[in-house]
Amino acid sequence: MSSAPSARILETKLSPPAFAATQVLRDAICERIAASAVKLVLVRAPAGFGKTTTMAQSRERIEARGIATAWITLDRADNDVSRFLAGLGEAVLRLGVEEPRARTPFDAVAALAAHDAPFVLFLDDFEGVQEPAVIGLVREIVEHLPRGGKLVIGSRGLPDLGVGRLRARGQLEEIDTDRLRFSLEETGAFFGLRPHAGDAAAQALPHELLAQLHRKTEGWIAAIWLASMALERHGSATGFVERFSGSDRAVADYLAEDVLAHQPAEMREFLLRTSILRQLDASVCQALNPRADSAAILERLAAANLFLTPVNGGADGDGAWRYHSLFADFLRAQLAREMPGEIARLHLAASGWYESQQRPVPAIDHAIEGGDHPHALTLLDSYAGRFLEQGRMRMLARWFSAIPEHQLREHPALQPIALWATCFTHGPWQAMQDRHDEAYEAGRLSLARLPTGLPFADSVLLNAMAHILAVRGDQHEAQRLLDAARRQQGSSTFNRMYTESLAGLFDLQEGRLRQATARFRMAVDATHAVSYNHSHGNAWAGVLYAGSVYESNQLLQAEHLLNVYLPLARDVGLPDHMILSHAMRSRIAFHAGDIDAAFQALTELEYLGHQRQLPRVVAGAKLERSRMLLLQGNGPAARDELARADDPALWAREKLQRLPAHELDYLTLARARWEIAFGDARAALDSIDAELHAALAVARLRRVLKLRLLRALALQRAGSLAEAIAEAAEVLKTASHEGYMRLILDEGPAAALLVQRFAHALHDSATARGSSDPILGEYVQRLLQAAGPMALPDGGEAENADAAGTDGLAASEPLTRKEIRVLQLLAEGYSNGAMAEKLFVSDSTVRTHLRNINMKLDAKSRTQAVAIARRLGVIR
């Protein structure tokens, strides 16, 4: 009983509208869509311009050429990431992607990226998607489409998918309103295809009136369609076309009213009463029209091609339709004017029917829209826990926000779920805003009342208090509460996710990266179904898991995760997660040479901090910007950013707390880093030693690793190479067993040079002893490989970079202005692709410049070219 309705919903979402005899073939547009060699085709126009029809015709043309296609019609429910991914997973399977045989999660996004056969994925009604995480997923699909893949999106607005960059790269085809308007010829063809074209009224529209109607509608297909129905009633001799004027929404309302007025009473009542439905089939329509023969009416409407847009039926073969959006809007407004007292009863009838079909989402939707909040709460008592486990926070928050608070209080089991959903969608700035002391006092009193008989609420409290106590530094008590939460949570996978995430944070602070990564992955896995992978949309676990993946230097996978979880972290507003995710995105962009994107991520983070009045977020953005400027060699600007981040009250509080975002990035450490690079490295040692002593005292071993690395860098800068290598040896031995990579690599060329020097010492030591540590040796080589070629301070190249000296060299011929600009961008870390965008040239042109530069400077690598150019004074 319960599976059939959900299967039907999925089928209707995955099928384009059926072909109708009155459709005008849009050959030119369809050929443009089918033949374009781009990543994204954006079909964008207001309602009523034939986007869906054009896309459906394009799909048929593409399939006729032997290319696999899949279709998804999006709606408001797809703002839930889990719902969107369920539809996406099914669509991807229809492209011919094989589902994994093992019981492992199926990652539809990754499957698309890896699919080696040509395909086209259609996403219609994209304007209904507002959830940043879903948009982030689609952006990722676009970014990682394989060579033969293409995405066609239909939308009323401009989606936030980086279309500017795609346009600049020539990877975007835009089909806009002007292209979609009917030409005069297409308007004439449409009238020729009308079902009653043989009638005298239809034949009486001469060319002059046709041209006049086309001019007045400006090719707006919906208005032409409605006008054709009106003309069937009025005839062309009545002066209808002459009186008709304009092409805005009022025209559609006028035409719709004219058409509706000429329907029989039974048909008119049916149209109004069913206008509240998002999709029509005979059964649900009958529930709203018990005295009518709904199946017969739907067949008549479909046969006459009036009002309805057909959707392919489900497995049982029954027909399914929806009203044209413009006409549906008009009908609902008309229903409110003519039958205001019926609206609530209609919604409740629809709710009851959907409930009988075991379809709780539309049942709850209609119960709320019908004002029956008690019944909606009764349904939520049965289903809210399931939706919470699925991570459908936004849907739950929308429902709970529509229900009066006094009625919600009568359902105590729902109150913690409502609070949880609100916190994870509207953000903690509406709740605690980093006020851990106040939260502790409130939670301490609540702990005394456990157990309450509400397992979910008790588990939430235990988890939240464990987190607060961990921030306050009471690890022992925090661990005790986590153990209690594990015993309390029962079957709640959502609370299990929270518990394992917190346990992973404890592991990370104590230096156990491998165990922390396993816990974070377990936490993410706990809240997604087997039909999709780490994209379910839980920002709390997802950002932490992305961080551990980033630490192991799996940058592509980290970027994949951030595309999902950063928008959620930004939307929810968890301060630590906002800082961690934006800093990660900035670092990944910096590593790829996209300096503009790296700074943009930090600008967005700083703006969010100001907007939400979270000073710690603002300071986090400034610290990371200072680090990036330091790596670019801009000491004064880096120092200025540190000065702007200096909020004494903020950092005094941070010193007493354990905040994930500041475990490795806080003001004292950042100042020591600056002193090592540009100031007095010996003086920095005093500050580092004090911090090291404090971190060891409370077993913050991950922080200890970072501080010892900085200590080694300070000794290296001060010229104490033997001490520096000895200090580095202890860091690298510990880091090798846990797999730390970015903790070292993110300190830039100075750290890479230190690892290089340690590698020489390790090799010499192993040669002398006749043995070596294979784990440490392999780990050091991975670090050096990830660091890439490096320049030694004397201007030579490290051994792994095809060394060649630069003393006495001069350019064999002068560098052009463009070549000097390329060198400047190269020195700043830009990749070939990023330089091409910056200079508005192709990748091949950049490669030509680089070859010329290497030839003129007699350089054997990019890094050596930059080093020689600096020695010659060509760049700074």
Side-chain angles (χ1 to χ4, degrees):
M1 288 288 294
S2 62
S3 61
S6 60
R8 156 169 272 179
I9 290 175
L10 200 56
E11 184 64 33
T12 57
K13 285 180 64 66
L14 297 172
S15 301
F19 181 80
T22 54
Q23 285 184 10
V24 174
L25 295 177
R26 313 299 304 274
D27 287 327
I29 298 177
C30 291
E31 181 58 29
R32 194 175 189 97
I33 293 174
S36 59
V38 296
K39 284 188 171 185
L40 174 64
V41 177
L42 180 59
V43 184
R44 179 167 65 99
F49 275 90
K51 298 183 294 295
T52 299
T53 300
T54 300
M55 290 168 61
Q57 291 180 9
S58 300
R59 180 175 185 252
E60 289 187 358
R61 182 173 297 228
I62 291 167
E63 284 196 324
R65 297 178 181 180
I67 298 174
T69 70
W71 181 285
I72 306 177
T73 299
L74 300 170
D75 55 45
R76 185 175 64 177
D78 289 300
N79 284 295
D80 284 316
V81 179
S82 54
R83 157 88 174 214
F84 171 76
L85 283 168
L88 178 65
E90 181 63 30
V92 169
L93 292 175
R94 296 185 179 202
L95 290 173
V97 175
E98 290 190 10
E99 192 168 8
R101 295 178 182 177
R103 292 183 59 82
T104 55
F106 175 46
D107 188 337
V109 178
L112 277 178
H115 195 44
D116 55 3
F119 68 87
V120 181
L121 174 62
F122 290 81
L123 299 180
D124 196 19
D125 292 345
F126 197 81
E127 69 278 353
V129 174
Q130 303 296 326
E131 169 59 48
V134 176
I135 294 173
L137 276 169
V138 178
R139 181 193 286 261
E140 184 178 0
I141 291 171
V142 174
E143 287 294 325
H144 295 94
L145 279 172
R147 182 177 298 273
K150 181 161 59 181
L151 196 63
V152 180
I153 289 179
S155 177
R156 295 184 187 181
L158 185 66
D160 183 18
L161 297 175
V163 294
R165 177 171 295 188
L166 291 170
R167 189 182 293 121
R169 293 175 176 175
Q171 295 173 341
L172 174 70
E173 178 71 49
E174 295 179 88
I175 308 296
D176 58 13
T177 304
D178 287 339
R179 287 188 181 178
L180 287 168
R181 296 181 192 278
F182 267 0
S183 66
L184 177 60
E185 292 73 19
E186 288 171 324
T187 302
F190 174 79
F191 273 89
L193 292 170
R194 291 295 299 156
H196 304 292
D199 292 355
Q203 290 180 341
L205 191 64
H207 178 77
E208 294 78 11
L209 291 181
L210 183 69
Q212 191 176 13
L213 180 63
H214 175 264
R215 185 176 66 255
K216 289 185 174 184
T217 58
E218 299 179 10
W220 184 21
I221 299 170
I224 293 170
W225 171 57
L226 289 166
S228 70
M229 288 189 284
L231 279 166
E232 288 174 13
R233 307 293 182 196
H234 296 282
S236 59
T238 62
F240 171 82
V241 174
E242 291 86 341
R243 294 194 307 272
F244 176 63
S245 63
S247 60
D248 58 13
R249 181 58 176 264
V251 171
D253 284 353
Y254 161 70
L255 292 173
E257 186 172 4
D258 181 84
V259 171
L260 185 66
H262 289 86
Q263 299 304 314
E266 180 189 39
M267 183 76 73
R268 192 176 190 281
E269 183 175 2
F270 177 90
L271 292 169
L272 292 176
R273 293 174 68 87
T274 56
S275 65
I276 66 164
L277 299 172
R278 295 179 182 87
Q279 185 171 300
L280 311 169
D281 62 33
S283 298
V284 67
C285 290
Q286 193 64 44
L288 273 58
N289 297 271
R291 293 190 299 273
D293 186 347
S294 295
I297 292 175
L298 283 171
E299 290 299 329
R300 282 161 53 197
L301 288 172
N305 198 41
L306 294 176
F307 315 118
L308 298 180
T309 298
V311 178
N312 286 356
D316 55 9
D318 290 343
W321 297 269
R322 62 180 176 84
Y323 289 122
H324 185 284
S325 57
L326 283 174
F327 192 62
D329 289 346
F330 167 78
L331 288 176
R332 284 191 288 270
Q334 196 71 14
L335 175 67
R337 285 193 294 268
E338 294 187 17
M339 294 185 264
E342 282 292 296
I343 295 176
R345 285 191 287 272
L346 290 169
H347 278 297
L348 297 183
S351 177
W353 186 85
Y354 283 118
E355 184 182 357
S356 72
Q357 301 299 305
Q358 299 181 34
R359 292 166 62 177
V361 173
I364 295 170
D365 269 333
H366 282 291
I368 290 175
E369 291 179 62
D372 192 348
H373 298 127
H375 186 59
L377 287 165
T378 300
L379 290 171
L380 281 165
D381 276 329
S382 300
Y383 293 102
R386 181 194 303 177
F387 293 138
L388 183 73
E389 304 298 350
Q390 295 171 355
R392 304 182 75 171
M393 301 292 191
R394 190 166 296 279
M395 182 179 72
L396 286 168
R398 172 170 59 83
W399 284 338
F400 285 123
S401 67
I403 295 173
E405 189 174 342
H406 72 276
Q407 294 184 355
L408 180 60
R409 282 198 294 268
E410 297 174 6
H411 295 256
L414 291 178
Q415 291 178 49
I417 297 177
L419 178 63
W420 214 235
T422 300
C423 284
F424 276 82
T425 52
H426 294 88
W429 67 90
Q430 293 185 357
M432 285 299 179
Q433 293 192 20
D434 263 356
R435 289 149 53 188
H436 295 98
D437 291 338
E438 293 176 53
Y440 171 74
E441 291 301 327
R444 186 174 59 82
L445 296 174
S446 298
L447 281 176
R449 296 195 288 270
L450 292 183
T452 64
L454 300 171
F456 178 81
D458 291 354
S459 185
V460 167
L461 176 61
L462 289 166
N463 276 318
M465 283 300 290
H467 175 58
I468 292 165
L469 285 164
V471 168
R472 290 165 61 90
D474 192 344
Q475 298 295 105
H476 177 76
E477 182 64 12
Q479 188 61 60
R480 188 187 71 80
L481 291 181
L482 273 192
D483 292 339
R486 286 193 179 95
R487 293 191 297 270
Q488 182 68 52
Q489 63 200 10
S491 62
S492 173
T493 57
F494 189 87
N495 276 326
R496 191 178 311 127
M497 173 280 301
Y498 197 13
T499 303
E500 293 304 323
S501 296
L502 289 173
L505 277 176
F506 297 169
D507 287 330
L508 201 57
Q509 288 178 355
E510 295 171 11
R512 298 186 294 271
L513 175 63
R514 295 189 190 281
Q515 187 165 314
T517 302
R519 288 192 190 276
F520 293 146
R521 178 170 184 130
M522 188 187 308
V524 175
D525 282 344
T527 49
H528 65 69
V530 296
S531 60
Y532 47 90
N533 207 339
H534 311 291
S535 307
H536 138 85
N538 189 291
W540 180 269
V543 169
L544 299 177
Y545 181 54
S548 64
V549 169
Y550 171 82
E551 178 56 57
S552 63
N553 204 40
Q554 300 176 66
L555 301 187
L556 286 178
Q557 186 181 357
E559 185 178 19
H560 164 86
L561 292 163
L562 286 176
N563 280 335
V564 178
Y565 296 119
L566 184 147
L568 282 165
R570 177 182 60 213
D571 199 31
V572 173
L574 300 165
D576 288 285
H577 288 58
M578 288 165 63
I579 296 169
L580 290 169
S581 58
H582 283 80
M584 256 189 288
R585 169 154 286 177
S586 177
R587 292 183 183 192
I588 291 170
F590 187 86
H591 176 81
D594 194 344
I595 308 300
D596 290 342
F599 278 108
Q600 179 60 37
L602 300 180
T603 299
E604 179 183 308
L605 178 63
E606 186 175 354
Y607 168 77
L608 289 170
H610 285 300
Q611 181 191 42
R612 296 171 184 180
Q613 299 179 2
L614 294 170
R616 188 158 66 88
V617 173
V618 176
K622 294 182 185 302
L623 285 186
E624 185 60 27
R625 189 179 292 116
S626 172
R627 192 194 70 86
M628 195 186 307
L629 290 165
L630 180 148
L631 290 177
Q632 290 183 302
N634 194 338
R639 183 182 55 210
D640 290 344
E641 283 298 321
L642 288 181
R644 295 188 188 101
D646 187 1
D647 181 338
L650 186 156
W651 296 114
R653 287 194 305 274
E654 184 276 331
K655 198 173 186 66
L656 301 174
Q657 299 175 329
R658 293 192 177 194
L659 299 165
H662 304 304
E663 187 67 16
L664 302 184
D665 294 291
Y666 58 102
L667 187 61
T668 303
L669 186 147
R671 282 174 168 166
R673 180 188 284 129
W674 189 91
E675 287 292 339
I676 293 168
F678 301 109
D680 185 344
R682 285 286 178 191
L685 285 170
D686 292 337
S687 170
I688 292 171
D689 286 343
E691 290 295 310
L692 192 55
H693 177 76
L696 283 167
V698 292
R700 299 177 78 167
L701 300 183
R702 183 169 171 239
R703 178 177 281 193
V704 166
L705 275 179
K706 175 65 84 171
L707 289 166
R708 294 194 73 171
L709 176 64
L710 290 182
R711 193 174 194 281
L713 292 173
L715 290 167
Q716 176 179 252
R717 173 81 193 288
S720 303
L721 294 184
E723 290 182 77
I725 292 171
E727 189 77 54
E730 297 304 315
V731 173
L732 294 172
K733 286 175 185 176
T734 302
S736 68
H737 290 285
E738 290 295 333
Y740 284 102
M741 295 284 287
R742 297 312 310 183
L743 181 141
I744 294 162
L745 294 169
D746 283 349
E747 295 305 320
L753 179 58
L754 182 62
V755 174
Q756 175 76 27
R757 283 171 166 155
F758 171 76
H760 285 302
L762 185 66
H763 178 266
D764 294 343
S765 175
T767 301
R769 294 196 314 269
S771 63
S772 62
D773 181 344
I775 294 176
L776 180 58
E778 186 272 338
Y779 169 72
V780 169
Q781 288 307 309
R782 280 196 292 121
L783 280 175
L784 291 174
Q785 185 178 8
M790 64 195 81
L792 293 171
D794 62 0
E797 292 280 306
E799 289 185 7
N800 66 330
D802 299 322
T806 61
D807 289 335
L809 289 179
S812 60
E813 60 179 284
L815 295 166
T816 66
R817 183 176 299 177
K818 184 72 76 173
E819 288 165 352
I820 293 172
R821 178 60 177 149
V822 169
L823 272 169
Q824 289 170 335
L825 295 174
L826 199 61
E828 293 174 12
Y830 281 73
S831 66
N832 285 11
M835 284 192 282
E837 286 191 34
K838 196 82 173 175
L839 299 172
F840 300 100
V841 297
S842 66
D843 284 358
S844 62
T845 301
V846 170
R847 290 195 294 271
T848 299
H849 285 316
L850 290 172
R851 284 196 298 270
N852 292 339
I853 289 168
N854 286 342
M855 181 183 65
K856 291 179 180 181
L857 296 180
D858 193 25
K860 294 180 174 60
S861 70
R862 298 156 66 100
T863 306
Q864 194 180 45
V866 171
I868 294 171
R870 281 178 171 155
R871 291 286 298 275
L872 294 174
V874 175
I875 61 173
R876 291 188 296 173

